Amino acid sequence: MREMLGVTALIYGQGMGEKVALVTDGRFSGATRGMCVGYVSPESFIGGPLALVRDGDRIRIDAGARRMDVLIEDEELAQRRKAWTPRPPRHRAGALSKYARLVGQAPGGAVTHPGAADWPWFD
């Protein structure tokens, strides 16, 4: 999961910080400013909703309801889902290849064992 500090700094550096929102499956540090939505899952790499968003799509963000909606027709979304193909693995050997094959998604703790992580201090 990539850290987004460089991306948010770039957005503000171009004077766009109050005009755009950043939606990502990446993570943020304490220095993030503006409308930034991170840790979005399921991640785009596995064909989640973010994989189907294209440049120019309008997205409604309702922070209070903890909801995001891409504002396109259901038929268009279905066509995009049908046409989506996964990217080939970037690492074909070694530890990173093994990690990519075994790691679970972020909501389950991004761990390399079956099942979600057990975080007893979170409720």
Side-chain angles (χ1 to χ4, degrees):
M1 205 180 306
R2 186 173 172 201
E3 210 288 331
M4 294 286 113
L5 183 58
V7 178
T8 58
L10 179 66
I11 291 170
Y12 269 86
Q14 293 184 352
M16 300 296 290
E18 304 303 320
K19 299 177 183 178
V20 300
L22 173 62
V23 178
T24 178
D25 54 4
R27 61 188 173 83
F28 297 105
S29 67
T32 301
R33 301 183 296 171
M35 175 55 81
C36 297
V37 183
Y39 302 93
V40 177
S41 294
E43 284 94 351
S44 59
F45 188 78
I46 62 163
L50 283 180
L52 308 177
V53 174
R54 295 187 181 156
D55 287 348
D57 285 349
R58 293 178 51 101
I59 298 173
R60 178 179 45 230
I61 300 172
D62 184 339
R66 299 176 61 120
R67 182 175 173 90
M68 290 190 315
D69 297 294
V70 60
L71 303 178
I72 60 173
E73 298 295 325
D74 290 340
E75 296 81 23
E76 173 67 17
L77 193 61
Q79 285 180 336
R80 291 181 188 185
R81 189 175 313 278
K82 187 176 179 181
W84 182 83
T85 57
R87 289 173 39 186
R90 193 165 143 196
H91 303 284
R92 297 171 198 257
L96 290 176
S97 173
K98 180 178 179 183
Y99 178 78
R101 282 193 317 274
L102 298 177
V103 70
Q105 299 302 309
V111 294
T112 57
H113 57 74
D118 183 18
W119 306 110
W121 54 85
F122 290 119
D123 203 56

